Amino acid sequence: MSLNDFITVVLNIEHNKLESVNSVTESDGSVVFYVKLRTEIVACPTCSGKTISYGYVKKTVNHSVFQHRRCTVILKQKRFHCKQCGLTFITDNPLSGTSDRISYETILNVLKDLKSPYTTYSIVADRNHIGISSVLRIFDEHVSIKRKPLCEVLSIDEHYFPQSTYKSSYCCIFMDFKTGIILDVLPDRKKEYIGSYLSKIKAKTYDSETRLSELDNVKYISIDMYEPYREIAKTYFPHAIVCADAFHVIEHLNDRFRVVRLRIKKTTEDDKVRYVLSTFKFIFGHRQNLDNEGKYNKKFVRVMTYRDLMNYVFQQ
């Protein structure tokens, strides 16, 4: 392979469009290409008027053509000025989009890597020498996954996602409660967003003869205690039975019980109650075996099991 062919393959730029190219290998092994593009005078894209060369601009592009080393291309492009309308612009380059700092080749490599079910965003980011947020943005911009139909037992829940490029830090998950299969993931859990989403489904699937839509397939809805979900269920699934998710019920009960335990611990005048609530707080966990072999307790001056300790607190 000649040098010209190598440059064309690596940079994805035809040799006749290159005015000059130089490469530098940094101390960390990364490669930097300094590329000056040859561009002829072009007409104004707005008014088709005559333009003049208006200097050069530099653009840094991440180009993951090498797997084991970072490759950066610093493009030097001509800038043009239209005499007629005053527009200043830069022509397209074959390496990347106008506003992108990542090359087309890198985007393709990221999408190919993401096809593997065993990879992660961080692995793909490291392999292509870009940030995780860039991998997420590429995925969101170029991948469109069709939602699955709504099921008989629908579970609605949210997931904290601080890396989201959307304005909400919580995404909303629609899942088949029976199978655990995710039906769709929405970038926002707000009532207005979910309502708009469900309204579109209803409009697209509504049958004027039966007066039913896909929303009528839902018979049960499992949600947590988030009030907007209750309102969504009441508005869009009026005939479905709304169920409180068992996990969240137990979580709320445990949280309320903890508040009561701490309040009594601070206000009680019974030293033994304060002692149990401080030293043996683990016995109030729902998975704790209370019928253990009793041990002598100096505070009570007798043999006590965990159940004895708990019953003493409840009796007081």
Side-chain angles (χ1 to χ4, degrees), residues 235-250:
T235 302
Y236 294 93
F237 306 97
H239 304 298
I241 298 175
V242 180
C243 313
D245 183 280
F247 170 81
H248 291 94
V249 171
I250 294 174

Side-chain angles (χ1 to χ4, degrees), residues 154 156 221-226 229-230 233 242-245 248:
L154 177 65
I156 304 177
I221 301 178
S222 174
I223 60 173
D224 60 16
M225 305 299 182
Y226 188 48
Y229 292 164
R230 293 164 57 90
V242 180
C243 313
D245 183 280
H248 291 94

Side-chain angles (χ1 to χ4, degrees), residues 5 13-15 28 52 58 63 67 95 101 127 152 157 182 193 203-204 212 224 248 266:
D5 292 337
I13 302 174
E14 295 179 10
H15 191 263
D28 61 356
I52 59 172
K58 288 185 178 181
H63 188 48
Q67 185 174 2
L95 191 65
R101 298 292 178 178
R127 186 179 298 161
E152 183 181 25
D157 204 352
I182 293 178
Y193 189 95
K204 289 181 179 180
L212 298 175
D224 60 16
H248 291 94
K266 292 180 180 179

